[in-house]
Amino acid sequence: MTDTASHAAAGSPLPLEGIVIADFSRVLAGPYATMLLADLGAEVIKVEGPTGDDTRTWVPPRRPDGVSTYYAAINRNKKSIVLDFKDAEDLAAAQRLAARADVVIENFKPGGLKKFGLDYDSVVQDNPSVIYSSITGFGTQGEGAKYPGYDLIVQAMSGLMSLTGSPDGPPFRAGISVFDVMAGLHSTIGILAALRQRDHTGEGAHVEASLMASAMSGLVNQTHAYVGGGTTPMRMGNAHPSLYPYEAMPTADDDVIIAAGNNTQFSRLCTVLGIPEIAEDERFADVGDRTDRRDELRPILEAELAKHTAQELFEKLNEVGVPCGPINTIKQGVEYAEALGLQPVVQVGTGSAAVPGVRHPLTFSTMTPRYDLAPPTLGEHTEEIRAWLQTEEGAQR
């Protein structure tokens, strides 16, 4: 259904061209995964109910044309078909789509698609080589299967919120739906691995991810502090449990992030601050010493930091190889990425239909991710996809 000629760069096609993805997912984790795959050439068919993906109504903010920026952020390069599973004809179309897809992805509550014949066990009967990706909140086995998967709930139940905020204040959620994003990324990895395995064996697979499992993995050193060391981490504001200084530090005007992660960086920090002897002080000689004695070291550093502005420290510390950065707004962050030459903003779609979007996170020496299709309006491609579903299996899309 898509002309892929414009997707190639340096004469190479995109790696996922020819892969058809039936996207039955909603909100964030699944749509984020399928957008990344679509950017790399996959044909993503977004299946929506009559009222559309919930994020279409999640406003503000809105684009100038009124479209939810939340929805637009994760749905480019897709085609939308409206199918009401309560309608026999629409359900049959959904089943035909699942039977013809290389990949099916869904994030319904466990068992929620069984009554429609769209669960893995049903789909695999007609499509034995399908890669079927399921995203849940807490897995498909045991008690967790009955709980809906909302990122905020998982942030609370995984322990993340116990790590976020000031030590003497309440727990906070992260500023983004961090485990939705992680689960989407983990699902993307799983889908690509399963496709590669299928290349070797011809067999499909059921790939399962959950927000809670992604949280356990994504909390990395914090979960392993308990699993490996029996320690239960608690919130420390912007401080790091195993490094100091590695946090927001006050200056003559604004706070600045300083991340002296090893002895060399700490020595250079002290030299810039005019206190090189502190780096030689046996109390602060090694990473563990500085972390254990942070309450002694902090006032020494803050007294010298107060003699400099944040901008001065940013320039001086980075010049000598000590990681340091300002605390930006999102606007400033995008502008800084632009100043670095990362070109974070791209035009998605063509002609008058083009809208701004955020660049795919990867760059390749042999190809360029595509930005052909603006996020679709609800049901924009329904007739086109229905017509294709009526053609013979294997017909050119």
Side-chain angles (χ1 to χ4, degrees), residues 103-126:
V103 177
V104 172
I105 184 167
E106 57 89 13
N107 60 353
F108 282 71
K109 189 175 178 179
L113 287 176
K114 185 176 179 63
K115 62 184 177 182
F116 300 114
L118 291 169
D119 60 312
Y120 173 70
D121 289 338
S122 299
V123 171
V124 77
Q125 298 301 312
D126 293 322

Side-chain angles (χ1 to χ4, degrees), residues 37 45 51 77 115 140 155 159 183 194 221 224 258 273 287 308 318 360:
L37 296 168
I45 299 173
T51 59
N77 287 328
K115 62 184 177 182
T140 58
Q155 287 197 35
N221 58 300
H224 203 76
I258 296 176
L273 295 180
V287 172
H308 304 267
N318 278 289
H360 187 91

Side-chain angles (χ1 to χ4, degrees), residues 322-340:
V322 178
C324 175
I327 302 173
N328 286 332
T329 63
I330 295 294
K331 176 179 182 293
Q332 291 169 327
V334 172
E335 290 172 347
Y336 187 62
E338 289 175 336
L340 292 174

Side-chain angles (χ1 to χ4, degrees), residues 209-233:
S210 73
L211 273 64
M212 191 67 169
S214 288
M216 293 296 98
S217 174
L219 287 169
V220 284
N221 58 300
Q222 301 287 25
T223 41
H224 203 76
Y226 172 71
V227 172
T231 298
T232 301

